[in-house]
Amino acid sequence: MVDVRDAAKALAGAGRVVVFTGAGISAESGVPTFRDALTGLWERFDAQALATPQAFEDDPDLVWGWYEWRRSLALRVRPNPGHEAVAAIERHAPHTVVITQNVDDLHEQAGSTAPIHLHGSLFTPRCAACSGPAEPSRQPEPEEGRRLAPPRCGHCGGPVRPGVVWFGEALPVEPLESAVQAATECDVLLTIGTSGLVYPAADIPVVAARFGATVIQVNPQPTPLDEVAAINLPGTAATVLPALVEAAWPPS
Ligand code: BJW
Ligand code: ZN
């Protein structure tokens, strides 16, 4: 088992904590990460190629079908002990800000109060033409996925698109500003399950370190953030995080 003692001490002594998460925290809930090979209908694609405005323009049925399949999967899965440990950190350290790159709602389901979503959500579709909001479907999708024509906007008739941030698109201004602000103000930043390859999100731990925070990383694999992290905890979110919380705030 990974030695969490130094990390626990830093966490328990921190006034302000930022928890920064990526796809790896949802992996043990059964949500594939961006680096995992796709399966079923999506097998011959890679996620990075589907997550672009160009892919939606070229083949809207393929891209909408993929996002509807992922929305349906996100509704079926449950938060894991990693998400629960993050919510526990918020309870123990009230000035905690959770920043996620994930588009699922597993932090909310685990009890995190107001996670900042840097890359949007699977549950907030909008019109690709007029940006008007659209109603998210509750319909389950077949296990193997399917091509699906995007619905039409009730206002202008344009195609509805997922409410996520694709490559080449700007991140939402207010969430990004709040995230950067929190990074500049925190004492400890915990980065969990992110490859640290996608910008500007990947700069959040770097900013925190530059402003004097202790960066703690939880990831079973090496990442570019190894250099920024003062403490590396090599392991999975669902195993390391509960141990970290228990060591930081031992049950009385
Ligand atoms: C576990 C685990 C377990 C496994 N426990 N861990 C600077 C330099 C170079 C390029 C750029 C730059 N700035 C911008 C760019 C371009 C681009 C970019 O970053 N490209 C790089 C690939 C090089 N960035 C953008 O285009 C961004 N936009 C932008 O910059 O706009 C500028 C602009 C300004 C003004 C006007 C217009 C434009 C937008 C980026 C949007 C990213 N969107 C996605 C898709 C979201 C929707 C969807 O989900 O489909 O977000 S891409 C994808 O990557 C997704 C993720 O949130 C994001 C990060 O991935 P993450 O979470 O790190 O996951 P993985 O899969 O990469 O890694 C998983 C990790 O978990 C691994 O490390 C595993 O080891 C680990 N793990 N099991 C713990 N059990
Ligand atoms: Zn519209």
Side-chain angles (χ1 to χ4, degrees), residues 1-18:
M1 191 26 155
V2 190
D3 187 350
V4 296
R5 280 173 298 183
D6 288 348
K9 206 168 151 201
L11 192 58
R16 287 174 188 269
V17 176
V18 165

Side-chain angles (χ1 to χ4, degrees), residues 127 129-132 153 155-158:
C127 175
C130 75
S131 297
C153 169
H155 178 64
C156 79

